[in-house]
Amino acid sequence: MSDDPISDWILSEGNATQITRTSPIGGGCINNARRYDTDAGSFFVKTNRSIGPSMFEGEALGLGAMYETRTIRVPRPFKVGPLPTGGSYIIMEFIDFGASRGNQSVLGRKLAEMHKAGKSEQGFGFDVDNTIGSTPQINSWTSDWIEFYGKHRLGYQLKLILDQYGDSTIYQKGKRLVKNMAPLFQNIVIEPCLLHGDLWSGNISSDKNGEPVILDPACYYGHNEAEFGMSWCAGFGGSFYNAYFEVMPKQPGFEKRREIYLLYHYLNHYNLFGSSYRSSAMSIIDDYLLMLGV
Protein backbone atom coordinates (compact mmCIF):
# COMPACT_ATOMS: atom_id res chain seq x y z
CA MET A 1 0.00 0.00 0.00
CA SER A 2 1.15 3.51 -0.81
CA ASP A 3 2.29 5.77 2.04
CA ASP A 4 -0.15 8.42 0.79
CA PRO A 5 -3.05 6.83 -1.12
CA ILE A 6 -5.05 10.10 -1.04
CA SER A 7 -2.44 12.15 -2.90
CA ASP A 8 -1.73 9.22 -5.22
CA TRP A 9 -5.38 9.03 -6.31
CA ILE A 10 -5.68 12.82 -6.75
CA LEU A 11 -2.51 12.88 -8.90
CA SER A 12 -3.66 9.99 -11.09
CA GLU A 13 -7.38 9.33 -11.39
CA GLY A 14 -8.15 12.81 -10.05
CA ASN A 15 -6.37 14.21 -13.15
CA ALA A 16 -4.26 16.64 -11.14
CA THR A 17 -0.54 17.12 -11.76
CA GLN A 18 0.06 19.20 -8.64
CA ILE A 19 -1.44 19.57 -5.15
CA THR A 20 -1.02 23.25 -4.35
CA ARG A 21 -2.38 23.31 -0.80
CA THR A 22 -4.16 21.26 1.84
CA SER A 23 -6.13 22.89 4.65
CA PRO A 24 -8.24 21.58 7.55
CA ILE A 25 -12.01 22.05 7.54
CA GLY A 26 -13.84 22.10 10.88
CA GLY A 27 -17.32 21.00 11.75
CA GLY A 28 -17.31 17.20 11.99
CA CYS A 29 -17.30 15.42 15.35
CA ILE A 30 -16.50 11.90 14.08
CA ASN A 31 -13.98 12.39 11.24
CA ASN A 32 -11.17 14.73 10.24
CA ALA A 33 -11.78 16.76 7.08
CA ARG A 34 -9.37 18.52 4.72
CA ARG A 35 -9.57 20.45 1.49
CA TYR A 36 -7.04 19.54 -1.20
CA ASP A 37 -6.47 22.30 -3.77
CA THR A 38 -4.95 21.19 -7.08
CA ASP A 39 -4.44 22.39 -10.64
CA ALA A 40 -7.50 20.26 -11.53
CA GLY A 41 -9.79 21.84 -8.92
CA SER A 42 -10.42 21.09 -5.25
CA PHE A 43 -11.27 17.85 -3.47
CA PHE A 44 -12.89 17.23 -0.09
CA VAL A 45 -11.28 14.44 1.94
CA LYS A 46 -12.47 12.88 5.20
CA THR A 47 -10.29 10.53 7.22
CA ASN A 48 -10.88 8.41 10.29
CA ARG A 49 -7.87 6.88 12.02
CA SER A 50 -9.80 4.27 13.98
CA ILE A 51 -12.52 2.91 11.67
CA GLY A 52 -12.06 0.71 8.58
CA PRO A 53 -13.43 1.65 5.15
CA SER A 54 -16.93 0.19 5.68
CA MET A 55 -18.36 3.41 7.19
CA PHE A 56 -17.11 5.53 4.28
CA GLU A 57 -18.20 2.87 1.77
CA GLY A 58 -21.74 3.21 3.14
CA GLU A 59 -21.53 6.99 2.82
CA ALA A 60 -20.14 6.79 -0.73
CA LEU A 61 -22.90 4.40 -1.85
CA GLY A 62 -25.51 6.73 -0.37
CA LEU A 63 -24.02 9.85 -1.96
CA GLY A 64 -23.71 7.98 -5.26
CA ALA A 65 -27.34 6.86 -5.18
CA MET A 66 -28.54 10.42 -4.44
CA TYR A 67 -26.22 11.85 -7.10
CA GLU A 68 -27.61 9.44 -9.70
CA THR A 69 -31.16 10.78 -9.23
CA ARG A 70 -29.96 14.11 -10.75
CA THR A 71 -32.36 16.00 -8.49
CA ILE A 72 -30.73 17.68 -5.48
CA ARG A 73 -27.05 18.58 -5.29
CA VAL A 74 -24.81 16.30 -3.22
CA PRO A 75 -21.01 15.98 -3.16
CA ARG A 76 -20.06 13.37 -5.75
CA PRO A 77 -18.03 10.55 -4.16
CA PHE A 78 -14.83 9.51 -5.93
CA LYS A 79 -12.80 7.06 -3.86
CA VAL A 80 -12.84 5.15 -0.55
CA GLY A 81 -9.90 3.21 0.83
CA PRO A 82 -7.78 2.16 3.83
CA LEU A 83 -4.98 4.28 5.29
CA PRO A 84 -1.54 2.66 5.66
CA THR A 85 -1.37 3.48 9.39
CA GLY A 86 -4.90 2.17 10.05
CA GLY A 87 -8.25 3.79 9.48
CA SER A 88 -9.76 4.92 6.20
CA TYR A 89 -10.51 7.84 3.88
CA ILE A 90 -13.09 9.10 1.41
CA ILE A 91 -12.38 11.54 -1.43
CA MET A 92 -15.29 13.50 -2.86
CA GLU A 93 -16.18 16.59 -4.82
CA PHE A 94 -15.45 19.84 -3.01
CA ILE A 95 -18.46 22.17 -3.00
CA ASP A 96 -17.94 25.82 -2.15
CA PHE A 97 -20.83 26.61 0.17
CA GLY A 98 -22.81 29.84 0.01
CA ALA A 99 -23.58 32.12 2.91
CA SER A 100 -27.02 30.70 3.70
CA ARG A 101 -28.80 27.35 3.91
CA GLY A 102 -30.63 28.22 0.70
CA ASN A 103 -34.26 28.58 -0.22
CA GLN A 104 -36.63 26.41 1.85
CA SER A 105 -39.16 25.88 -0.91
CA VAL A 106 -36.45 24.86 -3.42
CA LEU A 107 -35.08 22.42 -0.83
CA GLY A 108 -38.55 20.95 -0.29
CA ARG A 109 -39.21 20.54 -4.00
CA LYS A 110 -35.83 19.02 -4.81
CA LEU A 111 -35.98 16.63 -1.86
CA ALA A 112 -39.42 15.46 -3.04
CA GLU A 113 -38.03 15.02 -6.56
CA MET A 114 -35.25 12.83 -5.14
CA HIS A 115 -37.81 10.72 -3.26
CA LYS A 116 -39.87 10.38 -6.43
CA ALA A 117 -36.88 9.43 -8.61
CA GLY A 118 -35.03 7.15 -6.19
CA LYS A 119 -36.97 3.87 -6.18
CA SER A 120 -36.01 0.34 -5.17
CA GLU A 121 -37.12 -2.97 -6.67
CA GLN A 122 -35.79 -4.86 -3.63
CA GLY A 123 -38.06 -3.39 -0.98
CA PHE A 124 -37.02 -1.40 2.08
CA GLY A 125 -33.36 -1.27 3.11
CA PHE A 126 -30.07 -0.62 1.35
CA ASP A 127 -27.23 -2.58 -0.25
CA VAL A 128 -25.05 -2.15 2.85
CA ASP A 129 -25.50 -1.36 6.52
CA ASN A 130 -24.31 2.14 7.40
CA THR A 131 -24.28 4.48 10.39
CA ILE A 132 -26.59 7.11 11.86
CA GLY A 133 -24.12 9.35 13.68
CA SER A 134 -21.79 6.64 14.96
CA THR A 135 -24.61 4.14 15.66
CA PRO A 136 -24.83 1.16 13.29
CA GLN A 137 -27.88 1.33 11.01
CA ILE A 138 -29.08 -2.08 9.80
CA ASN A 139 -30.46 -2.06 6.26
CA SER A 140 -31.34 -5.70 5.54
CA TRP A 141 -33.78 -5.80 2.61
CA THR A 142 -37.37 -6.28 3.83
CA SER A 143 -40.57 -6.34 1.76
CA ASP A 144 -42.81 -4.87 4.47
CA TRP A 145 -42.21 -1.31 5.77
CA ILE A 146 -43.85 -1.80 9.18
CA GLU A 147 -41.66 -4.86 9.78
CA PHE A 148 -38.53 -3.05 8.58
CA TYR A 149 -39.14 0.07 10.67
CA GLY A 150 -40.19 -1.90 13.74
CA LYS A 151 -37.22 -4.28 13.65
CA HIS A 152 -34.29 -2.40 12.10
CA ARG A 153 -35.07 1.10 13.29
CA LEU A 154 -37.09 1.27 16.54
CA GLY A 155 -36.36 -2.28 17.74
CA TYR A 156 -32.62 -2.00 17.13
CA GLN A 157 -32.37 1.28 19.04
CA LEU A 158 -34.48 -0.04 21.92
CA LYS A 159 -32.21 -3.08 22.29
CA LEU A 160 -29.13 -0.81 22.32
CA ILE A 161 -30.72 1.25 25.11
CA LEU A 162 -31.46 -1.90 27.12
CA ASP A 163 -27.89 -3.17 26.63
CA GLN A 164 -26.23 0.17 27.32
CA TYR A 165 -28.38 1.60 30.13
CA GLY A 166 -30.43 -1.35 31.38
CA ASP A 167 -33.55 0.76 30.76
CA SER A 168 -36.17 -1.99 30.73
CA THR A 169 -39.08 0.47 31.09
CA ILE A 170 -38.53 2.24 27.77
CA TYR A 171 -37.54 -1.06 26.16
CA GLN A 172 -40.73 -2.88 27.14
CA LYS A 173 -43.05 0.02 26.36
CA GLY A 174 -41.24 0.65 23.07
CA LYS A 175 -41.57 -3.00 22.07
CA ARG A 176 -45.28 -2.81 22.87
CA LEU A 177 -45.61 0.16 20.54
CA VAL A 178 -43.72 -1.65 17.76
CA LYS A 179 -46.03 -4.65 18.09
CA ASN A 180 -49.17 -2.48 17.88
CA MET A 181 -48.27 0.38 15.51
CA ALA A 182 -49.79 -1.05 12.30
CA PRO A 183 -53.03 1.05 12.56
CA LEU A 184 -50.94 4.21 12.05
CA PHE A 185 -50.24 3.03 8.49
CA GLN A 186 -53.76 2.10 7.39
CA ASN A 187 -55.13 3.26 4.02
CA ILE A 188 -51.84 4.51 2.61
CA VAL A 189 -49.48 3.30 -0.09
CA ILE A 190 -45.87 3.05 1.12
CA GLU A 191 -43.27 2.83 -1.62
CA PRO A 192 -39.53 2.49 -0.97
CA CYS A 193 -38.01 5.94 -1.65
CA LEU A 194 -34.35 6.87 -1.49
CA LEU A 195 -33.90 8.78 1.79
CA HIS A 196 -30.99 10.92 2.95
CA GLY A 197 -31.74 9.48 6.38
CA ASP A 198 -30.14 12.09 8.66
CA LEU A 199 -31.52 15.40 7.45
CA TRP A 200 -30.84 18.02 10.12
CA SER A 201 -29.56 21.58 9.79
CA GLY A 202 -25.88 20.54 10.00
CA ASN A 203 -26.30 18.37 6.88
CA ILE A 204 -28.09 21.01 4.79
CA SER A 205 -26.29 23.83 3.00
CA SER A 206 -26.29 25.66 -0.33
CA ASP A 207 -23.76 26.24 -3.07
CA LYS A 208 -22.54 29.62 -4.34
CA ASN A 209 -25.59 29.80 -6.65
CA GLY A 210 -27.98 29.34 -3.72
CA GLU A 211 -28.92 25.80 -4.80
CA PRO A 212 -29.52 23.46 -1.83
CA VAL A 213 -26.86 20.87 -1.02
CA ILE A 214 -27.34 17.91 1.32
CA LEU A 215 -24.44 15.90 2.73
CA ASP A 216 -23.33 13.32 5.33
CA PRO A 217 -26.19 10.91 4.59
CA ALA A 218 -27.38 7.71 6.27
CA CYS A 219 -29.19 6.52 3.14
CA TYR A 220 -31.71 3.74 2.75
CA TYR A 221 -34.94 3.10 0.87
CA GLY A 222 -37.90 3.79 3.14
CA HIS A 223 -41.23 5.55 3.59
CA ASN A 224 -40.75 9.14 2.41
CA GLU A 225 -42.26 10.53 5.64
CA ALA A 226 -39.35 9.05 7.62
CA GLU A 227 -37.15 11.74 6.04
CA PHE A 228 -38.69 14.28 8.41
CA GLY A 229 -37.57 12.37 11.52
CA MET A 230 -34.88 14.94 12.32
CA SER A 231 -37.20 17.91 11.69
CA TRP A 232 -36.89 18.89 15.39
CA CYS A 233 -33.41 20.18 14.57
CA ALA A 234 -33.72 20.92 10.85
CA GLY A 235 -35.71 24.16 10.87
CA PHE A 236 -38.13 23.17 8.10
CA GLY A 237 -40.76 25.88 7.66
CA GLY A 238 -44.15 26.01 5.98
CA SER A 239 -42.69 26.85 2.56
CA PHE A 240 -40.51 23.70 2.72
CA TYR A 241 -43.49 21.41 3.39
CA ASN A 242 -45.78 23.17 0.89
CA ALA A 243 -43.23 22.75 -1.90
CA TYR A 244 -42.52 19.15 -0.89
CA PHE A 245 -46.17 18.10 -0.88
CA GLU A 246 -46.75 19.67 -4.30
CA VAL A 247 -44.45 16.98 -5.71
CA MET A 248 -45.12 14.16 -3.20
CA PRO A 249 -48.72 14.62 -1.99
CA LYS A 250 -49.39 14.36 1.73
CA GLN A 251 -51.00 11.02 2.63
CA PRO A 252 -53.92 10.45 5.04
CA GLY A 253 -52.77 10.26 8.66
CA PHE A 254 -49.49 12.12 8.07
CA GLU A 255 -49.86 14.14 11.30
CA LYS A 256 -50.49 11.11 13.49
CA ARG A 257 -47.39 9.34 12.07
CA ARG A 258 -45.03 12.30 12.43
CA GLU A 259 -43.79 11.43 15.88
CA ILE A 260 -43.22 7.74 15.15
CA TYR A 261 -40.46 8.96 12.81
CA LEU A 262 -39.09 11.45 15.34
CA LEU A 263 -38.88 8.58 17.83
CA TYR A 264 -36.12 6.75 15.95
CA HIS A 265 -33.85 9.77 16.16
CA TYR A 266 -34.69 10.55 19.80
CA LEU A 267 -33.82 6.94 20.69
CA ASN A 268 -30.57 7.24 18.73
CA HIS A 269 -29.72 10.49 20.55
CA TYR A 270 -30.40 8.72 23.86
CA ASN A 271 -27.93 6.03 22.79
CA LEU A 272 -25.33 8.52 21.55
CA PHE A 273 -25.59 11.36 24.06
CA GLY A 274 -27.28 10.02 27.16
CA SER A 275 -30.42 10.30 29.22
CA SER A 276 -31.27 13.96 28.47
CA TYR A 277 -33.14 12.59 25.42
CA ARG A 278 -34.97 9.89 27.35
CA SER A 279 -38.00 11.97 28.34
CA SER A 280 -38.69 13.06 24.74
CA ALA A 281 -38.60 9.45 23.55
CA MET A 282 -40.65 8.19 26.49
CA SER A 283 -43.28 10.89 25.98
CA ILE A 284 -43.76 9.88 22.32
CA ILE A 285 -44.06 6.19 23.26
CA ASP A 286 -46.57 6.90 26.05
CA ASP A 287 -48.69 9.13 23.78
CA TYR A 288 -48.87 6.45 21.09
CA LEU A 289 -49.72 3.69 23.56
CA LEU A 290 -52.58 5.89 24.79
CA MET A 291 -53.71 6.77 21.25
CA LEU A 292 -53.65 3.12 20.15
CA GLY A 293 -55.27 1.91 23.38
CA VAL A 294 -52.65 -0.73 24.12
Side-chain angles (χ1 to χ4, degrees):
M1 186 190 292
S2 155
D3 287 343
D4 188 355
I6 296 167
S7 296
D8 286 356
W9 185 91
I10 288 171
L11 293 169
S12 55
E13 289 165 76
N15 297 320
T17 60
Q18 184 184 9
I19 295 169
T20 53
R21 187 176 67 148
T22 73
S23 47
I25 296 173
C29 53
I30 299 170
N31 308 300
N32 292 313
R34 295 189 76 83
R35 171 180 177 168
Y36 281 64
D37 294 318
T38 80
D39 57 348
S42 298
F43 297 88
F44 180 68
V45 178
K46 288 200 292 192
T47 57
N48 189 304
R49 297 288 170 184
S50 56
I51 298 175
S54 62
M55 182 178 75
F56 287 144
E57 282 163 2
E59 180 176 355
L61 284 169
L63 288 170
M66 293 193 298
Y67 182 84
E68 289 301 321
T69 67
R70 301 291 194 271
T71 51
I72 192 165
R73 189 165 187 196
V74 299
R76 185 180 182 185
F78 294 128
K79 177 70 176 173
V80 172
L83 291 167
T85 52
S88 53
Y89 67 89
I90 179 171
I91 304 171
M92 64 183 90
E93 173 190 9
F94 179 83
I95 296 176
D96 221 353
F97 293 140
S100 75
R101 285 180 55 219
N103 182 300
Q104 285 260 315
S105 59
V106 177
L107 174 64
R109 177 173 55 79
K110 286 183 173 282
L111 185 67
E113 287 169 354
M114 184 182 88
H115 290 165
K116 202 168 191 175
K119 298 296 185 196
S120 159
E121 307 272 303
Q122 295 172 268
F124 302 97
F126 201 55
D127 285 331
V128 296
D129 295 338
N130 48 27
T131 52
I132 179 82
S134 58
T135 309
Q137 185 168 256
I138 308 304
N139 294 319
S140 306
W141 291 110
T142 309
S143 59
D144 180 78
W145 170 248
I146 299 171
E147 180 190 341
F148 176 87
Y149 192 67
K151 180 178 181 183
H152 298 309
R153 293 295 179 263
L154 300 182
Y156 186 83
Q157 292 282 350
L158 289 164
K159 181 68 166 61
L160 279 184
I161 286 168
L162 183 66
D163 293 346
Q164 189 171 197
Y165 301 113
D167 191 338
S168 58
T169 304
I170 200 168
Y171 175 78
Q172 287 163 2
K173 284 188 168 186
K175 292 292 277 186
R176 202 158 92 228
L177 171 57
V178 167
K179 190 178 170 186
N180 292 282
M181 67 182 182
L184 299 171
F185 301 91
Q186 282 174 343
N187 306 317
I188 59 166
V189 176
I190 303 177
E191 291 184 359
C193 300
L194 179 62
L195 307 181
H196 174 283
D198 191 16
L199 205 59
W200 67 287
S201 57
N203 292 340
I204 301 166
S205 190
S206 65
D207 64 18
K208 288 292 188 188
N209 299 319
E211 287 291 312
V213 179
I214 56 176
L215 49 147
D216 289 344
C219 286
Y220 66 100
Y221 291 89
H223 186 199
N224 66 304
E225 293 174 10
E227 192 77 285
F228 309 132
M230 281 291 285
S231 58
W232 47 284
C233 47
F236 299 142
S239 62
F240 167 86
Y241 287 107
N242 290 340
Y244 181 90
F245 289 129
E246 279 177 20
V247 179
M248 291 283 284
K250 185 190 288 193
Q251 291 197 291
F254 170 77
E255 275 77 18
K256 72 179 182 186
R257 284 186 300 277
R258 271 186 100 132
E259 299 222 328
I260 203 84
Y261 292 131
L262 304 187
L263 179 58
Y264 173 56
H265 295 279
Y266 277 124
L267 293 172
N268 185 45
H269 276 62
Y270 183 7
N271 274 310
L272 288 174
F273 306 117
S275 59
S276 59
Y277 290 94
R278 183 185 189 273
S279 62
S280 297
M282 197 76 232
S283 170
I284 291 172
I285 292 169
D286 283 339
D287 286 350
Y288 273 119
L289 293 177
L290 192 64
M291 180 201 297
L292 295 162
V294 290

